[in-house]
Amino acid sequence: IGNGAATIINVRVEGEVRAERERVGLVIGRAGSSGGDAEVDKVSAVGTVKGALDTPASSTDRGIGGIIGRSSWGSTLSLAYSRCHVEGNYPGGIIGNASTNDSDFERMYSASTIEPTASDEGGGVVGRMDSSGDEFAASIYWDENLTSDGYGFRSSGSTFDAQPLSTGEMQG
């Protein structure tokens, strides 16, 4: 799914995405738009996502994630699982960039690896959190044996209560 406001439920994707730019995810490039919010529920992704390896992104065009490249316009994401390798600017195991519009995230699990390009940061859950109103609930987990940090960049005031777990705890 490229870009826009939609309700996406019960989707499983396996594969690989390579893009010259950003706002790329294995399932959704950009969730939400000026036309409305996006609701994403019961989604899983397994594979590889690579984007913007040679092109730095603008502030409105960034985001490379296992499931969603960029979430915006008050998007919600719940009950999601990602087991991906994500490479690029501010890569996130589940979401590349949570944009400047407040969004809510809950019940997500990431067993993803990330590979930031250049000096960019990344995280097992989200690469970059740009809104002070973003909320990542305590019902979110990432495998700390695969990716040490849950997020790369975090705007002050945002809530990140996600929990790191070992591989054994994630499996059992």
Side-chain angles (χ1 to χ4, degrees):
I1 300 170
N3 179 16
T7 299
I8 300 159
I9 300 173
N10 292 326
V11 174
R12 177 176 166 78
V13 175
E14 289 188 36
E16 182 173 334
V17 174
R18 292 176 184 259
E20 292 180 13
R21 301 228 179 247
E22 294 200 34
R23 280 202 275 181
V24 59
L26 198 56
V27 179
I28 304 164
R30 179 179 174 195
S33 69
S34 58
D37 302 343
E39 180 183 342
V40 183
D41 189 31
K42 299 179 188 97
V43 175
S44 66
V46 177
T48 302
V49 182
K50 294 182 179 183
L53 301 179
D54 299 319
T55 309
S58 69
S59 63
T60 60
D61 200 30
R62 60 179 153 222
I64 301 177
I67 293 177
I68 298 173
R70 181 178 172 89
S71 66
S72 58
W73 298 97
S75 299
T76 59
L77 173 63
S78 62
L79 201 54
Y81 172 76
S82 175
R83 187 169 41 100
C84 294
H85 175 75
V86 184
E87 182 179 345
N89 298 316
Y90 295 103
I94 296 174
I95 301 165
N97 180 226
S99 77
T100 57
N101 299 288
D102 300 351
S103 295
D104 295 317
F105 308 97
E106 64 181 12
R107 299 183 302 154
M108 302 187 313
Y109 310 89
S110 174
S112 295
T113 57
I114 59 162
E115 188 175 337
T117 55
S119 62
D120 290 332
E121 302 170 87
V125 176
V126 59
R128 186 176 175 95
M129 299 166 58
D130 282 336
S131 174
S132 61
D134 280 338
E135 293 189 16
F136 286 79
S139 60
I140 299 171
Y141 304 94
W142 81 94
D143 188 327
E144 67 183 344
N145 296 117
L146 299 176
T147 305
S148 59
D149 296 317
Y151 61 88
F153 171 84
R154 178 178 175 194
S155 179
S156 64
S158 58
T159 302
F160 190 83
D161 291 332
Q163 305 294 312
L165 297 175
S166 70
T167 302
E169 291 170 317
M170 290 285 285
Q171 294 174 345

